[in-house]
Amino acid sequence: MKTKTDVLIIGGGIAGVSTLYHLTKLGWSDVMLTEKLELTSGSTWHAAGNLPHFSNSYNVMKLQQYSIALYARLQEETGQPVDHHMTGAVRLAHTQDRMDEFERVVAMSELAGLDLEMIDNDRLKELYPFLDTTGLLGGLWDPADGHIDPTSVTNAMAAGARAGGATIVRNNPVSAVEQTADGRWKVTTAKGVIDARIIVNAGGFRANEIAEMIGHRLPMNSMEHQFVVTDNIPALEERDTMVPMLRDPDVSYYLRQEGKGMILGPYEKGGIPWATDGVPKAFGQELLQPDLDRIEEIMCTAMEQVDILTQAGIKTVVNGPITYTPDGHPLIGPVHGYENYFVCTGFNFGIVQGGGAGHFMAQWIVNGHPELDLWELDPRRFGDYADNDFCVAKGTEVYANEYQLGFPHEYAMRPAVRGQKKAPVYERHAQKNAVFGAYFGWERPAWFAPEGMESKERHSFRRGNWFEPVAAECLNVQNNVGVLDLSPFTKFEVSGPGAHAYLESISPNRIPLEAGGVALAHPLTQDGGVAWEFSVTRLESGDYYLMAPAVAELMIEDWLTQRLPKDGSVTLTNTTQQWGTLVLAGPQARRVLSQLTDSDLSNDAFPWFTGQEITVAGIKLRALRMNFVGELGWELHHPIEHQLALYDALMEAGQAYNISDFGMRALDSMRLEKGYPMWGHDLTHEFTLLESNLGFFAKLDKGEFEGRDALKQQKQDGVKQKMVLLEVDSTDVDAIHMEPVYQGDKLVGQVASGGYGHRVQKSLALAYVDVDALDSATESELSVKVLGKTYPVKVAKGCVYDAKGERLKSNN
């Protein structure tokens, strides 16, 4: 057996084999895979093999699109049969919300170059003649959907990988994994020790066994999933072609032809977690005991809708374990706290995602990041709050909501396992009827329900029950003063004699040298894409205080740690839990704050975009004169143990000025009016700092920083697309994310984020649009498609609220 390799993949399911195959496609031949039993012995072999493009996530749609396109050409490339059937698929809609979801996904699919189509009941009946359309509003048609044999397609990729020089070792379980002092990995297997520079944990439902050998735990568990295979059905025996795949998300099942019979796969509410205390050592290529009682109700409904199901008996019941993460998306990417260690696991749709997952995983290993910004799949999107109990509860919840409508904020507001991380002010917010969402474990107020209104969001793709309360919050910030809790901010302190040079090396912007100086910085990838963003303040001590997106804490910690100087000249300290943040914003902010501090808050003494260490209500804190809402105000960063005292003091001092709380929905509305882009939505590594219209934060004449050469070259060549703020001529719906932008009939851009600006009373969207479309004389022909309708848009010149920044810099 080969004992030294550049990359070792642990696990021979479709994800591991796909990663191996794609590494060889990128020219890496010194790569190896070890499998405990035979290839596909885990969840892969018993998977149904369905191949949908459909997803509420554009990146997941692209992942699946890549897989399906790969499988379509794989047999010709490798000479191995894959048993790919492109039958097409219909999805059924019983409600208007479901039709709205389909319209969103169809529009998104246009950006991906797919041919998804909204259809009426007549077309449904034409495509699927055995369907009873009673009660349906319509549906969605994907002509390229279908299914494939999981074992065959995995073995075809294995053949392709071997042809590219890769090594595969079967029946070779791993018993120990250790990282040596030089950063390489020592992996002990049944057939010997393998020395690897990089390892990939693709262990499927055994991935946590590998993780435990290394010293951590992955946020995932396994669920039992049953599907029923019928005997032959006479009506299908009479056909020369297969019927399309059918999915009824409102009833929660899929139905597809298998031979001359059918496979019926329900996702029931009472899903059963499997092996929550660890996978049995002897468990291999086997199935679990069927339990048809759990899925009987869904099966009966399916028989009413497709009555040919009543013509056949049950031939087989397949009940096998499949992996689930707490949000239903796989884990693809680096593991927090380690170098040269990746995971590619946690798939509950492993067959349709496996090909794309291996493709992007290989890019991550070879290039440092994939071509798509896959933050939503990065394992570091979960923190240490995602323990085993959390994963089991959330996995069970996801399974029961497999076909849940993809409403904005819906997942964050699900009820299972809430309250892992709460700032002290949470209790005050709860008393004030806050509607909370959970983000990276933190409970954060999305909006506040007024007195007499239930503090519960009624989810919608349109303007829901939050619309008027959020409007009131925004207008109070505009006219009076509001308080927002941003304690979940990721926070670091950087100290030591090398601190300034270190920050300069990762920041395109200049790092302040004087105490109180504040800068906004956007670390870049080597090709100039925006990796993340942070604000940095020079403290009186000479140390630096960094603030960054809350959800990216672990990714940012890895980024910073991996770039620290080796000489010990810089100390990095994560202070996220130690400091709270309350934002005080609005034209009365100075008057409120002045009652609680002796510090001079005037423009001359405390200019905009500077910071000072002052005392407020007897509490020493860091006050930063900046905010994300575009009003006069301060961020008050305080020792977390003093948060309630500070909050109560602000509220008491602000009573005369109509002070009130506001939430994340109001923040989002107001930042759109200012044209402020948000990381993870508007700022991703798929677009450079110049394309993001933030070139003024890149000082190309300063010293070296990551991505500088790429930005210099792009500045010389010119950008082909850039971010703009659009005013959407709509009265009842708003763009949200990934809606297509057109010039006439030509696709020229995509919405990054959108919503309603309550202070300016306009529907707004930040979008990346081709420069040619913006420079042309036909800019007036621009439009955006939202929920199936096309709305004219106007490109804003700058921002649409307080364009000169007079309110931010007010001295009143």
Side-chain angles (χ1 to χ4, degrees):
M1 182 189 72
K2 182 176 178 178
T3 59
K4 190 171 184 179
T5 187
D6 211 23
V7 181
L8 175 65
I9 297 163
I10 303 171
I14 193 167
V17 172
S18 176
T19 301
L20 188 75
Y21 167 83
H22 284 95
L23 283 169
T24 65
K25 289 299 180 183
L26 292 177
W28 285 29
S29 58
D30 184 15
V31 292
M32 184 176 179
L33 181 147
T34 183
E35 161 57 35
K36 176 183 174 71
L37 298 170
E38 295 289 340
L39 298 184
T40 77
S41 290
S43 297
T44 298
W45 77 272
H46 62 71
N50 302 332
L51 299 178
H53 286 107
F54 186 97
S55 177
N56 278 286
S57 160
Y58 178 75
N59 281 344
V60 172
M61 180 184 287
K62 292 291 290 182
L63 185 91
Q64 295 172 177
Q65 179 186 22
Y66 178 90
S67 295
I68 295 168
L70 168 67
Y71 301 161
R73 66 177 187 267
L74 199 56
Q75 182 168 323
E76 181 178 353
E77 175 192 324
T78 65
Q80 301 291 312
V82 298
D83 199 23
H84 182 202
H85 300 274
M86 190 178 292
T87 61
V90 294
R91 283 178 184 259
L92 313 181
H94 296 255
T95 67
Q96 185 57 51
D97 281 338
R98 188 67 70 180
M99 291 292 280
D100 285 350
E101 178 188 54
F102 288 176
E103 290 282 14
R104 253 190 65 72
V105 173
V106 167
M108 192 189 303
S109 75
E110 294 179 34
L111 297 173
L114 295 171
D115 295 319
L116 275 60
E117 176 189 352
M118 295 295 294
I119 55 177
D120 59 19
N121 284 357
D122 289 340
R123 179 68 169 144
L124 272 174
K125 193 73 175 178
E126 177 186 338
L127 291 165
Y128 207 99
F130 306 114
L131 175 66
D132 181 354
T133 59
T134 302
L136 298 177
L137 299 185
L140 179 147
W141 167 243
D142 179 0
D145 202 322
H147 62 275
I148 200 165
D149 176 59
T151 299
S152 297
V153 73
T154 303
N155 284 324
M157 283 192 286
R162 290 189 185 99
T167 300
I168 296 175
V169 184
R170 298 169 298 159
N171 300 302
N172 190 36
V174 171
S175 59
V177 183
E178 175 188 357
Q179 191 165 32
T180 57
D182 62 358
R184 294 183 68 86
W185 293 91
K186 176 183 174 183
V187 181
T188 303
T189 74
K191 297 181 180 180
V193 177
I194 303 170
D195 173 14
R197 182 171 70 88
I198 296 168
I199 60 172
V200 180
N201 183 348
F205 57 63
R206 291 192 181 275
N208 265 321
E209 294 178 21
I210 304 302
E212 288 167 6
M213 296 176 193
I214 296 168
H216 72 105
R217 189 190 183 285
L218 292 170
M220 55 179 282
N221 74 297
S222 295
M223 298 289 297
E224 295 186 16
H225 176 58
Q226 299 183 99
F227 60 82
V228 173
V229 184
T230 76
D231 293 321
N232 284 2
I233 298 174
L236 298 182
E237 291 177 326
E238 296 171 2
R239 291 176 59 93
D240 295 328
T241 59
M242 285 187 167
V243 293
M245 169 81 71
L246 182 149
R247 296 179 182 86
D248 191 326
D250 293 318
V251 179
S252 193
Y253 72 88
Y254 59 84
L255 180 69
R256 76 160 173 84
Q257 187 167 337
E258 174 71 4
K260 293 299 182 179
M262 288 281 199
I263 285 180
L264 172 63
Y267 289 95
E268 70 277 19
K269 294 296 183 184
I272 303 297
W274 179 75
T276 57
D277 296 325
V279 179
K281 188 174 183 180
F283 189 87
Q285 196 166 359
E286 54 197 276
L287 295 173
L288 308 174
Q289 186 67 31
D291 183 3
L292 290 180
D293 289 345
R294 295 208 315 265
I295 60 176
E296 180 181 9
E297 183 177 349
I298 297 176
M299 290 175 60
C300 289
T301 303
M303 290 177 185
E304 293 173 4
Q305 293 178 284
V306 184
D307 65 2
I308 62 171
L309 283 171
T310 63
Q311 300 173 14
I314 294 175
K315 181 166 64 176
T316 307
V317 179
V318 176
N319 185 17
I322 54 176
T323 54
Y324 270 79
T325 64
D327 62 6
H329 287 325
L331 307 173
I332 305 174
V335 178
H336 171 59
Y338 298 90
E339 292 193 62
N340 300 324
Y341 173 33
F342 298 83
V343 296
C344 190
T345 190
F347 297 88
N348 54 322
F349 293 107
I351 306 307
V352 73
Q353 295 176 357
H359 170 65
F360 294 120
M361 182 79 272
Q363 289 183 336
W364 216 320
I365 293 169
V366 174
N367 302 326
H369 62 82
E371 62 193 81
L372 297 179
D373 193 316
L374 296 181
W375 167 249
E376 64 192 304
L377 309 184
D378 193 309
R380 296 169 295 185
R381 69 188 186 272
F382 299 108
D384 57 9
Y385 61 89
D387 58 15
N388 187 58
D389 290 344
F390 175 88
C391 291
V392 170
K394 295 302 285 187
T396 304
E397 184 180 58
V398 169
Y399 183 88
N401 289 276
E402 191 65 76
Y403 287 121
Q404 173 60 258
L405 289 148
F407 295 122
H409 303 283
E410 184 276 328
Y411 171 77
M413 293 179 179
R414 289 183 183 176
V417 203
R418 295 291 297 271
Q420 288 94 338
K421 295 195 290 188
K422 297 184 288 189
V425 76
Y426 169 87
E427 299 301 335
R428 298 287 194 272
H429 289 158
Q431 293 166 2
K432 294 182 176 182
N433 236 16
V435 179
F436 292 99
Y439 302 90
F440 198 62
W442 288 99
E443 293 291 339
R444 309 184 71 173
W447 55 282
F448 291 81
E451 186 175 350
M453 181 179 184
E454 183 184 14
S455 55
K456 184 176 182 179
E457 183 159 317
R458 294 198 299 274
H459 302 293
S460 175
F461 295 106
R462 301 172 184 269
R463 296 171 186 171
N465 65 329
W466 67 86
F467 189 78
E468 293 300 333
V470 170
E473 292 173 26
C474 293
L475 296 179
N476 192 67
V477 172
Q478 179 186 26
N479 297 318
N480 301 301
V481 61
V483 176
L484 170 72
D485 175 38
L486 285 182
S487 297
F489 260 152
T490 292
K491 310 174 195 75
F492 288 93
E493 292 185 16
V494 181
S495 59
H500 183 266
Y502 163 66
L503 292 173
E504 283 280 339
S505 72
I506 65 171
S507 168
N509 203 356
R510 290 190 177 89
I511 301 299
L513 283 167
E514 301 295 327
V518 178
L520 191 61
H522 302 81
L524 307 177
T525 62
Q526 286 297 327
D527 47 8
V530 179
W532 54 286
E533 69 172 340
F534 67 95
S535 67
V536 54
T537 304
R538 176 86 176 209
L539 303 176
E540 293 175 5
S541 64
D543 298 342
Y544 288 94
Y545 179 54
L546 275 57
M547 294 169 293
V551 296
E553 180 181 343
L554 300 187
M555 182 274 284
I556 292 168
E557 187 168 87
D558 282 344
W559 181 286
L560 292 171
T561 301
Q562 291 165 7
R563 288 161 174 75
L564 284 173
K566 305 300 183 185
D567 60 6
S569 62
V570 178
T571 299
L572 176 71
T573 306
N574 188 330
T575 60
T576 300
Q577 301 278 357
Q578 300 170 30
W579 289 87
T581 305
L582 295 178
V583 175
L584 181 72
Q588 304 298 335
R590 182 179 281 113
R591 292 182 177 88
V592 172
L593 197 57
S594 293
Q595 297 179 60
L596 303 173
T597 182
D598 294 331
S599 297
D600 188 346
L601 303 177
S602 66
N603 276 352
D604 290 339
F606 205 144
W608 178 69
F609 225 67
T610 64
Q612 294 183 26
E613 296 174 62
I614 65 176
T615 299
V616 177
I619 301 164
K620 293 182 178 180
L621 51 75
R622 298 165 181 171
L624 307 181
R625 192 175 164 192
M626 61 183 193
N627 59 69
F628 209 46
V629 303
E631 300 286 354
L632 171 68
W634 282 262
E635 290 180 0
L636 304 176
H637 297 258
H638 50 276
I640 195 67
E641 62 270 20
H642 297 306
Q643 182 168 79
L644 285 182
L646 177 62
Y647 176 84
D648 290 343
L650 290 171
M651 284 296 173
E652 183 176 353
Q655 280 186 5
Y657 302 100
N658 294 319
I659 195 169
S660 67
D661 300 279
F662 65 102
M664 300 302 292
R665 277 195 177 275
L667 172 70
D668 197 49
S669 170
M670 291 185 280
R671 66 96 186 172
L672 280 169
E673 293 171 320
K674 293 295 293 181
Y676 293 157
M678 182 176 290
W679 178 84
H681 295 275
D682 314 299
L683 304 178
T684 74
H685 76 231
E686 295 176 40
F687 299 97
T688 70
L689 204 59
L690 300 182
E691 290 168 333
S692 302
N693 214 26
L694 298 176
F696 48 87
F697 287 117
K699 306 301 189 284
L700 298 178
D701 58 346
K702 81 181 191 81
E704 289 295 325
F705 58 86
E706 288 186 67
R708 178 173 178 262
D709 290 345
L711 284 192
K712 288 183 70 174
Q713 186 63 51
Q714 189 177 55
K715 186 172 184 180
Q716 178 179 322
D717 297 342
V719 299
K720 296 181 179 179
Q721 56 191 339
K722 71 175 183 178
M723 181 184 289
V724 292
L725 180 62
L726 303 177
E727 300 177 28
V728 184
D729 187 9
S730 163
T731 59
D732 60 345
V733 296
D734 305 296
I736 301 171
H737 178 59
M738 298 310 292
E739 288 86 0
V741 179
Y742 295 94
Q743 186 170 55
D745 295 329
K746 182 182 178 182
L747 181 64
V748 295
Q750 64 190 51
V751 170
S753 66
Y756 191 78
H758 290 282
R759 293 177 298 189
V760 297
Q761 297 186 31
K762 292 179 179 179
S763 184
L764 303 170
L766 284 169
Y768 285 95
V769 179
D770 294 347
V771 170
D772 290 345
L774 297 172
D775 288 344
S776 71
T778 55
E779 185 180 293
S780 60
E781 296 179 9
L782 290 175
S783 62
V784 61
K785 182 181 285 188
V786 184
L787 299 185
K789 288 185 62 178
T790 300
Y791 296 90
V793 300
K794 174 185 174 184
V795 179
K797 307 303 181 185
C799 66
V800 296
Y801 181 76
D802 187 29
K804 296 181 179 179
E806 294 172 345
R807 296 178 70 90
L808 278 171
K809 302 171 185 177
S810 170
N811 203 30
N812 293 332

